[in-house]
Amino acid sequence: MALNTQLADATVNAQASALAALCNGGKIKVYDGTQPATADTALSGQTLGVTVTFNETAFGAPSGGVLTANAITSGTAVASITPTWARILKSDGTTTIMDVSAGASGCNLTIGAFTLGTVVSCTSFTHTVKKATTGL
């Protein structure tokens, strides 16, 4: 039988709220290169460009499982890169929560290319907890 999970709005919002709480005061490390296969996969040749920080309340209340970040504190670039992905860490700066896409548009984290030493800001960050899964 095929998988056909359909979650209620209250359920996806509860899942999104739990994820949001993990991000409070957390770090976003922005990299170039190939995004690892999973968030548990170690880095392998990617270049860290900048670390920016979530607000102490990282996200507003979810709607339909969609999280939209509150203001993100800028960081100073430690390398010149064109971002392709980012690793989200808890406030301890080491515990991985998730990896996301990053780039100038159409990504979880909207952030353009930058050069060493510049102050880097993120224009937006969103994440959606899926309401349905189907397939085998």
Side-chain angles (χ1 to χ4, degrees):
M1 175 171 275
L3 300 175
N4 187 20
T5 303
Q6 303 294 321
L7 300 174
D9 281 340
T11 304
V12 296
N13 286 337
Q15 289 179 342
S17 291
L19 178 62
L22 292 172
C23 295
N24 289 342
K27 308 295 181 196
I28 306 172
K29 292 187 176 261
V30 182
Y31 295 91
D32 69 359
T34 303
Q35 181 174 336
T38 73
D40 295 312
T41 303
L43 299 178
S44 176
Q46 298 91 343
T47 300
L48 173 65
V50 70
T51 300
V52 295
T53 306
F54 280 118
N55 193 311
E56 286 303 314
T57 303
F59 293 93
S63 176
V66 178
L67 290 170
T68 301
N70 290 321
I72 297 171
T73 302
S74 300
T76 301
V78 296
S80 299
I81 68 165
T82 299
T84 54
W85 70 282
R87 181 155 281 177
I88 310 302
L89 306 166
K90 290 177 73 172
S91 61
D92 64 12
T94 59
T95 305
T96 301
I97 298 170
M98 65 179 158
D99 290 348
V100 299
S101 62
S105 65
C107 299
N108 296 101
L109 179 69
T110 304
I111 185 169
F114 50 82
T115 57
L116 173 68
T118 60
V119 174
V120 179
S121 60
C122 302
T123 57
S124 70
F125 180 94
T126 60
H127 176 74
T128 302
V129 174
K130 289 189 175 192
K131 190 168 177 163
T133 57
T134 59
L136 299 175

